[in-house]
Amino acid sequence: MQTVELLCDPPLDRAVRAVWRQLADGGVDSLAHNPHPGHRPHLTLAACARMPAGAGEQLDELLADALPLTVRLTGLLSFAARSRRRVLSWSVVPTLDLLRLHHRVWEVLEHAEAPDPHYVPGRWSPHLGLTRRLTPDAVTLTHALLGRHPDLTGTFDSARAFDSGTQRTHALGAPTP
């Protein structure tokens, strides 16, 4: 899979990592345990088997114009995983600016190979991942550890593409000198 991701500015990155660490310290399989050296808090805008030719350049221009983007994180989302397991995430409020950007990214990716239906406009739930696949008991523990999960305002200040086949990232939207 290839993805288009928005990345958190340093304060938002630290805040999300603090929640990952809080969960890990409490015994929850959080994303603090992800061993990939490039793993960091992010919002996935799109996922597909392969991006169409020329998409990278179009995405560079689009994202350079769209960032930085201020967002608000609020509440927890629960997504089904394999078997009875769940993945918990911090919901990102779908502002008009975020929805427009998401739609424009998918216009660039209109001819992408095998788009992931969970990320296409109209089906996408914007979120920042907090946990890996949890048992029902671990979901309960997560809620107990977090208590009333606070809202947070932050900024996405950069973007990247990630290729799960090569495990490599590529910056997107970087201003040209």
Side-chain angles (χ1 to χ4, degrees), residues 41-146:
H42 64 275
L43 170 68
T44 303
L45 292 174
C48 58
R50 180 169 305 167
M51 292 184 204
E57 295 80 15
Q58 292 177 59
L59 291 169
D60 272 336
E61 185 176 321
L62 172 62
L63 292 162
D65 289 342
L67 298 174
L69 181 65
T70 300
V71 294
R72 185 166 58 92
L73 309 182
T74 183
L76 293 177
L77 292 176
S78 175
F79 295 102
R82 292 186 195 110
S83 68
R84 292 186 56 224
R85 295 180 182 263
R86 307 295 294 174
V87 174
L88 294 181
S89 299
W90 211 338
S91 176
V92 177
V93 174
T95 63
L96 186 56
D97 286 341
L98 180 59
L99 291 173
R100 282 183 181 150
L101 175 59
H102 180 248
H103 182 77
R104 291 178 67 203
V105 165
W106 277 103
E107 286 176 340
V108 171
L109 300 177
E110 179 181 5
H111 300 292
E113 182 181 318
D116 184 324
H118 294 104
Y119 293 94
V120 297
R123 303 239 1 238
W124 179 61
S125 294
H127 64 279
L128 291 177
L130 296 175
T131 71
R132 305 215 266 188
R133 294 175 180 96
L134 302 178
T135 64
D137 288 343
V139 171
T140 301
L141 175 59
T142 299
H143 285 286
L145 289 168
L146 293 178

Side-chain angles (χ1 to χ4, degrees), residues 155-173:
T155 303
F156 292 118
D157 66 350
S158 59
R160 70 180 181 186
F162 174 71
D163 186 316
S164 65
T166 64
Q167 294 292 298
R168 292 200 172 124
T169 62
H170 169 77
L172 293 172

Side-chain angles (χ1 to χ4, degrees), residues 18-41:
V19 173
W20 289 355
R21 180 57 35 216
Q22 177 185 1
L23 294 172
D25 291 347
V28 172
D29 189 10
S30 80
L31 291 179
H33 296 122
N34 187 320
H36 189 277
H39 181 68
R40 57 185 288 195

